[in-house]
Amino acid sequence: MNPPLPRVDALAKVTGQVRYGADWVPPGLAHAALTPAAIGKGRVVSVETAEAEAVPGVLLVLTRLAEGELTAPTFLMVGGDAFESVQPLLDDKIAHRGQPIALVVAETPYAAAEAAALVRATYEEEPVSVTLDDPGVEVRDQADVLGPYEDRVVGDADAAYAASARRVDAVFDLPTQHPVPMELTSSVVYWDDGGVTVHEGTQNASAIRRGLAGQLGLPQERVRVVAPYVGGGFGNRNSLQMQTGLAAVAARRLGRPVKLVVPRELMFHNSGFRPASRHRIRLGAGPDGRITALLHDVDQQTSRYDVFPASYTDTSARVYAVPAFRAHQRIVFTDSQTPGYMRAPYEHPAVFALESAMDELASATGLDPVELRLLNDTETDPLTGLPFSSRHLAECLRRGADRFGWARRTPQPGSMRADDGSLVGWGVASAAYKASAAPALTRLRLDPDGGLTVWAGAHEMGQGIRTAIVETVVGLTGMPAGLVTVEAGDTVGVPHQLTAGSWGTATVLPGVYGALEELRKRLGAPPTGPLPRVAAPAEVEVGSLAPGQPPEALDRVIAGGMAPAGPVYPDFTAYSFAAHFVEVRVEPTTRRVRVARTVSVVDCGRVASPVTAASQVRGGVVWGIGAALREHAEPDPRFGGFANADLEGYTVPVNADIPDIDLEFIDEPDPSLNALGVKGLGEVSMVGVAAAVANAVHHATGYRARRLPIRIEDLL
Ligand code: MOS
């Protein structure tokens, strides 16, 4: 066993050598700025640009693109590449708040911003409906809108629920949230004889390449997307956004490189967000606490023009042994931009609702919350009847309870106090997240100096994929980490696809494994041990597939598309699991809630990179605390969109909110999923944390949170 490898790019990052999208400054760079519409929905009647054009240094003011100069992209969830189907400056329609009505390009960012603020317009305004309950929204059954997302049914859940000795029936409201990655959305775009090059932080270089090529009417080969490092993704950067095409058009018109950085408040309105969702959970059990039925009804927001699908109930059905299950998901069409994936997009809300209800069931049955969860563990996927490829949830709960000291908990709410008089609450929650994987094309080159270069179709978003690749190569060859170079995030290398949904590691590492095997074969080297010395560079390119995938899945990826598989594979269902334990302290007078400590035990298969994996878990716990106690993008009934669209109004946890985070991995390989036995980690780390916080708040105060975030006024 080698000692855990430190993050391979840590030094480069802290010394400023890593370049993110907007850090690229090609010679002759011009700077762009956007003018957002002053209404949330309606039509632009007239635009006045004379004042903007008069600002010194202004090069171009664009309010309407020429016919065919740029076309609207196709929405990601219907086979396209874009987070939404709206592209600004193509017509006079304003579909959502924050939609740009003008793009200004100038010699400096200051001139561009000044001029953008001087673009004036008149509008015809339409009313907006922004919440699930607004009378102006349209509500439709998801089954009617999207065929493939049919409601899941196992047994007769209604009858089983009605006959249950113990019943919990509760509705949970989860708010709109934004992922607020540190790196602002941006594009640096330039044209040359080869075509157009885009430097942009993204989780999906291929989507930008294919989508922009389509928008510009170019073959994909003439678009290069470079994203070696991304300042946080979390689903927010999973596809093409509106600024890339605008910057490309401006750069083409001016014959100069153009940089367009989307300011934070416009990011709140021009990229994906976690949609509002409402969950009615009906949970039935016998007097012994064994679950007899689960019914899960969901309403989830989307925009007026794209259907971001609801997929909550696939996870809620799989956390426990559920003999009878019924799901019903509805789509609520509201006036916002199209929502999208945000860290554990379905699983955080679904599991918050389920795990809150489980806590109520513990009270209703008199069982300890950990015991209740252990009692309802299952080795079989309730939806398909297939075995789980690996499932160590019970072990997560047991080890977590030990580490946390759960045995010292007294069950009565309000029964535990700290020395300073504050109320102490201890809460627990389980977590599950689907283990998907995708095809990958991986290239290796072994050089005579012993150096190995790995081209992987992956994106380094801070999650540590480069470290995981290097550590895997070191583990398989024994070579020094310093001899391994990872090339990732550049469409010139190998095909890239969306790095998200926690399938990055389980996609890329099997590719690296397969490519190393092929390299050894090519060189006549033994299947294990150090790689041989070569006299000339030796190169292999190898395709890998998820279990059960046909070879055509790889062709889809090579063509610029996506082909993720799972969580249901031919012979098994694959999930990652976790258990979270949380202690809160509630100040008795002000009711201020502080999380005092957390313990998380995670089953993500074999841990590929212990150092970066631990960081992923810490990030997930921080995010869960934010979801429980802080984060809410407030829908704005006046203008659509969100009222607190900046980091002053949208509060994320700060250091003072975060306690010691204790964590442990089960670290058992899942050999069914891939040869290395790795499952996904990033998202499952966040799932369940908010429920554990809310359950701890209930234990401290007796208050049962039915909506998030929990606010002080809820506890007064
Ligand atoms: Mo995943 S929704 O890309 O965090």
Side-chain angles (χ1 to χ4, degrees), residues 675-693:
L676 292 162
V678 296
K679 303 192 278 188
L681 170 64
E683 325 232 13
V684 77
S685 301
M686 188 259 180
V687 179
V689 175
V693 173

Side-chain angles (χ1 to χ4, degrees), residues 203 233-236 238 341-345 433 461 499-502 683:
Q203 301 171 242
F234 322 118
N236 187 262
N238 68 11
Y341 291 134
M342 167 169 159
R343 182 49 44 107
Y433 192 94
M461 311 176 284
T499 305
S502 291
E683 325 232 13

Side-chain angles (χ1 to χ4, degrees), residues 125-147:
E125 195 170 357
E126 291 174 36
V128 293
S129 302
V130 293
T131 70
L132 297 177
D133 300 309
D134 275 344
V137 302
E138 185 193 356
V139 184
R140 293 180 65 190
D141 281 350
Q142 176 155 264
D144 293 341
V145 183
L146 302 169

Side-chain angles (χ1 to χ4, degrees), residues 164-405:
S164 297
R166 302 282 180 272
R167 289 193 287 259
V168 175
D169 182 350
V171 176
F172 301 92
D173 269 291
L174 279 290
T176 41
Q177 296 180 326
H178 283 71
V180 293
M182 275 173 77
E183 182 191 12
L184 294 173
T185 296
S186 66
S187 304
V188 176
V189 182
Y190 50 87
W191 292 80
D192 57 25
D193 295 344
V196 62
T197 299
V198 178
H199 289 270
E200 173 174 340
T202 180
Q203 301 171 242
N204 197 347
S206 280
I208 295 180
R209 183 190 205 202
R210 190 176 75 163
L212 185 65
Q215 283 194 288
L216 293 166
L218 294 175
Q220 278 193 61
E221 299 69 52
R222 298 200 60 212
V223 181
R224 177 182 180 187
V225 178
V226 187
Y229 291 93
V230 185
F234 322 118
N236 187 262
R237 300 181 200 285
N238 68 11
S239 47
L240 182 68
Q241 301 181 69
M242 59 80 192
Q243 87 288 345
T244 315
L246 295 182
V249 168
R252 184 178 230 176
R253 285 214 193 178
L254 291 169
R256 287 175 64 170
V258 168
K259 177 192 289 194
L260 175 49
V261 179
V262 181
R264 183 69 68 183
E265 60 203 285
L266 290 190
M267 265 182 82
F268 266 79
H269 294 115
N270 287 283
S271 56
F273 63 98
R274 189 192 300 288
S277 64
R278 178 172 295 154
H279 303 255
R280 182 180 184 193
I281 295 279
R282 277 168 286 176
L283 184 60
D288 60 354
R290 266 183 216 284
I291 294 170
T292 49
L294 174 60
L295 293 92
H296 188 178
D297 300 288
V298 185
D299 284 349
Q300 182 218 263
Q301 163 189 31
T302 192
S303 65
R304 292 280 184 187
Y305 42 87
D306 295 316
V307 179
F308 180 70
S311 182
Y312 301 89
T313 57
D314 280 359
T315 295
S316 53
R318 289 179 164 126
V319 185
Y320 299 112
V322 174
F325 180 76
R326 182 168 66 67
H328 182 208
Q329 301 184 102
R330 299 196 304 177
I331 299 293
V332 182
F333 295 82
T334 66
D335 293 306
S336 68
Q337 78 271 28
T338 303
Y341 291 134
M342 167 169 159
R343 182 49 44 107
Y346 305 114
E347 297 73 14
H348 153 63
V351 170
F352 173 75
L354 175 68
E355 286 297 277
S356 297
M358 281 295 279
D359 219 55
E360 296 192 41
L361 184 62
S363 303
T365 55
L367 284 169
D368 172 81
V370 174
E371 286 308 313
L372 176 70
R373 286 167 170 85
L374 289 172
L375 180 71
N376 285 290
D377 193 21
T378 176
E379 290 299 313
T380 308
D381 171 7
L383 289 183
T384 62
L386 292 168
F388 283 105
S389 55
S390 64
R391 178 175 164 121
H392 302 285
L393 176 58
E395 186 68 13
C396 292
L397 286 161
R398 287 199 192 94
R399 281 205 215 172
D402 276 357
R403 283 182 86 98
F404 190 80

Side-chain angles (χ1 to χ4, degrees), residues 395-408 426 579-583 597-602 618 661-666:
E395 186 68 13
C396 292
L397 286 161
R398 287 199 192 94
R399 281 205 215 172
D402 276 357
R403 283 182 86 98
F404 190 80
W406 186 260
R408 298 197 310 274
W426 288 5
H580 301 286
F581 293 78
V582 168
E583 175 176 327
R597 64 193 178 102
T598 69
V599 172
S600 300
V601 182
V602 184
R618 289 188 200 102
I661 295 171
D662 184 36
L663 62 103
E664 185 182 340
F665 293 102
I666 300 291

